Amino acid sequence: MIECPWQCLEKIPELGQTLSCLKGIGPKRSRLLAKRGLHTVLDLLYFFPVQYEDRTRSLDIGRAEDRDQAWVSGTVVNARENLFPGSRKRLFRVVIEDDTGRIDLVWFHYRKPHLLTVAAKGSSLLAFGRIQVKGRQKQMIHPQILPHDPGNKKKHLGINPVYPPLEGIPQRTISAMVREALRLYGDSIQDPLPPSIRQSGAFMDLPCALRQIHLPPPQSPVQELNAGRTPGHIRLQFDLAFKIMLNLLFRKAVRKQRQIPSLKVPPDLKVQFEKFLPFSLTQGQHTAIRDILHDFRAPYPMSRLIQGDVGCGKTVVAALAAYVAVHNKKQAAFMAPTQVLAAQHRDFFRDFSSDAGFKPALLTSALTVTERKKIYREIETGRVNVIIGTQALLQEALSFSDLGLVIIDEQHRFGVNQRALLDRKGNQPHLLIMSATPIPRTLGMTLYGDMDISTIRDLPAGRLPVVTRLVGKRSKVKVFQFLKRRLQAGQQALVVCPVIDAAEDQDMKNAKEMAEKLRALLGLLYRVELIHGRLPSAVKDKIMEEFRSGRINVLVSTTVIEVGVHVPNATVMIIEQPDRFGLAQLHQLRGRIGRGPIQGVCILMLPAHITDRAKQRLEILTRSNDGFEIAQKDLEMRGQGETLGTRQAGLGERDLMNAFENPVLLMAAREEAGKIVREDPGLTQRSHRPLRDLLEPEWKKPLEI
Ligand code: ADP
Ligand code: MG
């Protein structure tokens, strides 16, 4: 279910009524509906089908073939319950026949009195379902049945919307309720989308869109309905895309209007900072730093995304930003997705010469109450100035003495809302986000539409790119010998499996078994440990820490090690069933190794039965080390078809994502939202007023001033 973005509709009396105003909805059903968040007529109109069933075909029984989905009709020649001797199982079988043949209709769950009435011997029956042919016998399991009314031959033919299941309310009743709501109140809907926008995108008006989604006319193309691509679907997707774009652009506009004193950036500050580094910066780092310094000098808060492949050196760039903040006597908060990463960043800041002025503190949920209180005090009094932590930074009780900069590492693990939360902790702090996930352009426009973006495209010089090899089952022994040689040389290895244990999926290599096998083979000389997402985070952190410090030689894992951890001595990665992962994900994974001076090797163990296509896809990784290129190729190879084929249609949350995949719609939404923000930022024009509904509460405020 999606929420109706237009609150003004709820204020229209007819639409705001509770559902008990509809025929057939008494207190009991009201309660059942309320459980799923359906209270008003409007809620019901925004309760969308997830799928559509083509019920436009009817067949003669004799011509029905296996797997056909269609109506059949005939006279009941037999209807009775069958009991299985010796068990409590039972079934109900109705046999109908027409001039061409016979078919069995079978139920395992049923209400006997109902079937006995509707399917009385000699009566005429319509049944819809999937036909199964076994030898000369045809049957339908759990068909939908209707009494056949010969006077009205076509009434049952049509497209049947399938709604998300509602406990205690059958599909037929849901359809009937929605139909009734549309019939009685459909005309009360006044489309809140300004006519100018509706016209420029040729969007269907809202009442028509809702009708098309709930009551598609019989001749509608079922595929388009199921792909969420009818004009009705597109209109509602537009509303959602438009809402997001409008908010992002408001956020961007409001940020640029906020006046804050700019930070002092003396001309030699960057050179000073570079003196603390044991290496010289890459071109990409230089550029990103220049962008940041430019932002700091502006009289409004920075909001910048630094994206760059794993290992390109984003942390140093963040450190420069923190350096500027600290030199302006402000604090920087640095949020990392895991405790291990937070600890790693703390070490990074601690290792700077004290002349740099960093006074780092680590704040995680693993602290005792006393420790935490102590650190809280140090933060509040300004005795520490770089505060590194996990979500623990978002704690209500934590207050900063003067928070000037918020840095968020590996953003994709945090929600957009958390970003806003931290924002509120300071006095309009500057915001820097770092991400190694190459973001496709459309997604960049949506998730980060309110931000400026810097991209680091190069890796530090002298870095040996990880060598990636596809290896078949036959070379298993060789791989093992290679692993042993590397371990003998004092290096560490990671082995990645797609699932944790057999319970999760029988057919996949699981990490638990793999760890046991490797322990049996290597356990005398080397320490083999297992890490996965179901372990408590304290245990995970301990294992990661031991791996980082070299006390664990081989770490078997699921994808939990995907993000940012830096273990220079880990030089081998073996990935089982790599075809189960996305290319971008594999690229992230292999980014964990080869971060030191020794050549990293990533071995992709191909399963015995792999399609050529899947193999070709993986070969991309052997040729390229450029995360952006890989993400792009991956997208091209998977193509539209596959993404559409696997998804269920309708307008659930996933369809919102589908709206994100539709660049044309997104661009249109962005353009229309842009026009409004530029021309009428107060949303004072009469036709723009309903748009206030779409704004998040935080942007409504500045409008009212
Ligand atoms: P990521 O962008 O994945 O967060 P890090 O910031 O963790 O990468 O950097 C990876 C490694 O590269 C670190 O050990 C860091 O010290 C090193 N590094 C960063 N920049 C440079 C550079 N310009 N030259 C050499 N090494 C660098
Ligand atoms: Mg990093």
Side-chain angles (χ1 to χ4, degrees):
M1 185 187 135
I2 62 168
E3 213 175 304
C4 171
W6 307 105
Q7 287 152 26
C8 56
L9 292 181
E10 197 77 41
K11 292 191 199 104
I12 296 176
E14 290 87 342
L15 304 177
Q17 293 179 89
T18 54
L19 283 167
S20 51
C21 68
L22 293 175
K23 212 172 62 193
I25 302 188
K28 189 170 158 230
R29 283 211 171 126
S30 290
R31 260 197 313 279
L32 291 170
L33 289 163
K35 264 213 254 172
R36 287 291 300 264
L38 300 169
H39 305 280
T40 64
V41 170
L42 188 64
D43 292 339
L44 189 61
L45 295 179
Y46 268 77
F47 184 68
F48 296 128
V50 283
Q51 208 188 318
Y52 297 85
E53 219 171 43
D54 185 354
R55 295 197 176 181
T56 54
R57 284 216 308 160
S58 50
L59 291 172
D60 292 337
I61 295 173
R63 254 155 240 132
E65 290 179 16
D66 196 33
R67 304 185 61 74
D68 275 342
Q69 215 180 2
W71 288 100
V72 292
S73 62
T75 312
V76 177
V77 292
N78 200 345
R80 74 149 66 105
E81 188 171 52
N82 300 20
L83 304 178
F84 292 88
S87 90
R88 285 164 59 202
K89 281 193 205 142
R90 51 190 63 200
L91 61 77
F92 201 99
R93 187 191 306 272
V94 174
V95 184
I96 60 171
E97 73 175 3
D98 65 6
D99 299 341
T100 61
R102 280 188 175 203
I103 188 165
D104 288 7
L105 313 176
V106 179
W107 287 265
F108 299 100
H109 309 283
Y110 50 89
R111 279 190 300 138
K112 193 165 152 191
H114 171 73
L115 285 179
L116 284 173
T117 329
V118 184
K121 206 163 163 181
S123 58
S124 186
L125 209 61
L126 278 165
F128 179 86
R130 192 175 289 284
I131 290 139
Q132 298 177 355
V133 182
K134 284 200 191 111
R136 286 170 52 200
Q137 217 189 1
K138 294 184 178 173
Q139 66 172 22
M140 273 185 188
I141 312 271
H142 285 168
Q144 283 265 325
I145 52 168
L146 294 173
H148 193 13
D149 168 12
N152 195 345
K153 276 198 159 155
K154 295 223 164 126
K155 215 171 125 195
H156 57 284
L157 296 180
I159 291 172
N160 186 50
V162 180
Y163 288 89
L166 285 178
E167 193 197 318
I169 307 181
Q171 284 287 331
R172 234 170 325 128
T173 314
I174 303 177
S175 286
M177 290 183 322
V178 176
R179 215 167 334 156
E180 183 73 351
L182 272 172
R183 190 179 66 81
L184 291 174
Y185 307 114
D187 293 330
S188 312
I189 302 167
Q190 293 142 21
D191 194 343
L193 190 67
S196 61
I197 298 181
R198 219 181 314 147
Q199 278 149 23
S200 73
F203 295 113
M204 193 178 240
D205 78 22
L206 188 56
C208 290
L210 291 172
R211 283 205 174 91
Q212 187 176 44
I213 284 174
H214 290 295
L215 307 171
Q219 68 277 18
S220 321
V222 177
Q223 273 165 342
E224 301 235 319
L225 282 165
N226 274 327
R229 272 185 314 212
T230 65
H233 283 94
I234 289 173
R235 161 59 209 265
L236 287 156
Q237 286 164 359
F238 178 80
D239 283 5
L240 298 176
F242 183 72
K243 174 179 174 165
I244 289 167
M245 288 301 178
L246 195 67
N247 275 287
L248 286 168
L249 295 180
F250 261 101
R251 192 188 300 221
K252 193 166 186 169
V254 169
R255 177 163 56 83
K256 298 216 161 163
Q257 277 160 22
R258 284 182 192 159
Q259 294 288 316
I260 62 162
S262 50
L263 293 184
K264 281 196 219 66
V265 185
D268 63 339
L269 180 132
K270 181 162 163 256
V271 179
Q272 267 178 41
F273 175 76
E274 286 183 68
K275 284 202 190 117
F276 296 113
L277 303 177
F279 45 70
S280 50
L281 295 172
T282 64
Q283 198 48 51
Q285 287 170 323
H286 276 300
T287 317
I289 287 173
R290 201 173 51 222
D291 292 344
I292 291 172
L293 295 180
H294 174 83
D295 292 339
F296 278 147
R297 291 187 176 108
Y300 52 82
M302 161 170 79
S303 179
R304 183 168 292 280
L305 171 72
I306 305 285
Q307 56 172 351
D309 214 345
V310 274
C312 73
K314 295 182 289 291
T315 320
V316 179
V317 173
L320 176 277
Y323 185 71
V324 176
V326 164
H327 275 252
N328 283 269
K329 306 266 181 292
K330 299 212 175 267
Q331 289 170 312
F334 196 146
M335 188 153 80
T338 63
Q339 302 204 11
V340 181
L341 272 174
Q344 188 175 297
H345 289 322
R346 190 268 320 267
D347 294 352
F348 178 78
F349 279 96
R350 200 180 45 193
D351 292 347
F352 269 84
S353 144
S354 60
D355 298 343
F358 292 131
K359 283 176 263 170
L362 181 64
L363 192 62
T364 70
S365 46
L367 297 173
T368 64
V369 178
T370 341
E371 286 169 331
R372 187 163 59 233
K373 276 201 179 135
K374 182 164 165 271
I375 294 186
Y376 272 22
R377 214 165 25 252
E378 288 177 342
I379 296 169
E380 219 170 324
T381 54
R383 232 175 315 155
V384 290
N385 56 21
V386 181
I387 298 92
I388 302 143
T390 54
Q391 266 104 324
L393 287 177
L394 300 173
Q395 291 299 317
E396 208 54 60
L398 172 62
S399 63
F400 293 82
S401 80
D402 190 358
L403 181 62
L405 170 68
V406 170
I407 302 165
I408 302 182
D409 194 12
E410 308 291 357
Q411 152 82 7
H412 58 294
R413 295 283 160 119
F414 295 109
V416 177
N417 291 341
Q418 290 179 316
R419 167 168 126 198
L421 232 159
L422 251 182
D423 219 24
R424 256 166 253 149
K425 286 217 172 253
N427 192 13
Q428 305 182 347
H430 297 277
L431 178 63
L432 189 64
I433 291 179
M434 293 181 295
S435 174
T437 316
I439 302 151
R441 207 172 63 92
T442 46
L443 201 60
M445 262 178 8
T446 49
L447 283 181
Y448 301 107
D450 61 329
M451 309 196 72
D452 301 307
I453 299 182
S454 305
T455 305
I456 302 180
R457 287 202 170 274
D458 44 1
L459 292 180
R463 183 77 54 82
L464 292 168
V466 174
V467 170
T468 302
R469 294 263 178 276
L470 305 190
V471 172
K473 276 265 169 287
R474 265 178 298 161
S475 311
K476 218 162 146 184
V477 177
K478 268 201 209 150
V479 170
F480 184 66
Q481 276 158 358
F482 171 75
L483 170 67
K484 272 212 306 211
R485 277 201 303 281
R486 287 270 167 134
L487 292 175
Q488 265 159 20
Q491 293 159 31
Q492 292 161 276
L494 281 155
V495 180
V496 183
C497 295
V499 294
I500 301 175
D501 53 29
E504 215 174 318
D505 191 326
Q506 287 267 340
D507 298 333
M508 293 206 218
K509 291 269 179 187
N510 72 71
K512 274 191 186 159
E513 252 171 52
M514 180 61 71
E516 272 162 34
K517 255 196 246 165
L518 288 173
R519 242 179 234 143
L521 290 166
L522 298 165
L524 279 180
L525 290 171
Y526 303 106
R527 187 160 158 218
V528 179
E529 286 294 343
L530 169 69
I531 189 169
H532 58 74
R534 265 191 255 139
L535 294 173
S537 54
V539 177
K540 273 190 294 196
D541 286 343
K542 185 162 168 280
I543 296 175
M544 270 329 285
E545 188 44 49
E546 286 187 314
F547 185 62
R548 201 155 75 92
S549 63
R551 271 169 289 161
I552 294 173
N553 306 87
V554 179
L555 189 58
V556 181
S557 77
T558 53
T559 51
V560 287
I561 37 113
E562 208 178 316
V563 170
V565 180
H566 186 54
V567 186
N569 197 38
T571 67
V572 180
M573 175 173 283
I574 299 172
I575 303 179
E576 292 287 344
Q577 292 176 317
D579 50 317
R580 302 289 171 158
F581 301 96
L583 286 191
Q585 198 181 13
L586 288 168
H587 180 65
Q588 289 269 326
L589 280 169
R590 71 177 171 178
R592 302 298 122 238
I593 55 162
R595 291 189 144 212
I598 297 168
Q599 176 78 66
V601 178
C602 174
I603 298 169
L604 304 179
M605 298 298 292
L606 298 180
H609 307 284
I610 185 166
T611 63
D612 284 347
R613 244 172 92 76
K615 203 166 155 189
Q616 274 167 21
R617 196 167 71 92
L618 292 172
E619 268 163 5
I620 295 173
L621 288 171
T622 64
R623 288 193 301 268
S624 175
N625 255 298
D626 179 340
F628 290 82
E629 190 188 328
I630 288 166
Q632 190 60 40
K633 287 246 168 72
D634 198 16
L635 212 67
E636 283 165 21
M637 283 208 65
R638 278 188 296 151
Q640 279 274 307
E642 241 157 275
T643 41
L644 287 178
T646 50
R647 57 179 279 284
Q648 279 235 319
L651 264 174
E653 263 171 65
R654 253 186 305 172
D655 291 274
L656 180 57
M657 287 316 285
N658 195 37
F660 286 158
E661 281 165 19
N662 181 345
V664 178
L665 195 63
L666 275 179
M667 291 302 276
R670 191 176 168 88
E671 190 167 321
E672 294 303 333
K675 258 191 243 162
I676 305 240
V677 174
R678 273 192 309 277
E679 287 166 15
D680 183 20
L683 300 182
T684 48
Q685 281 176 33
R686 208 183 147 71
S687 70
H688 288 167
R689 262 182 236 157
L691 297 181
R692 290 175 179 225
D693 281 358
L694 301 180
L695 296 182
E696 308 282 349
E698 49 181 315
W699 309 128
K700 283 196 182 138
K701 241 196 241 124
L703 288 180
E704 281 156 13
I705 298 170

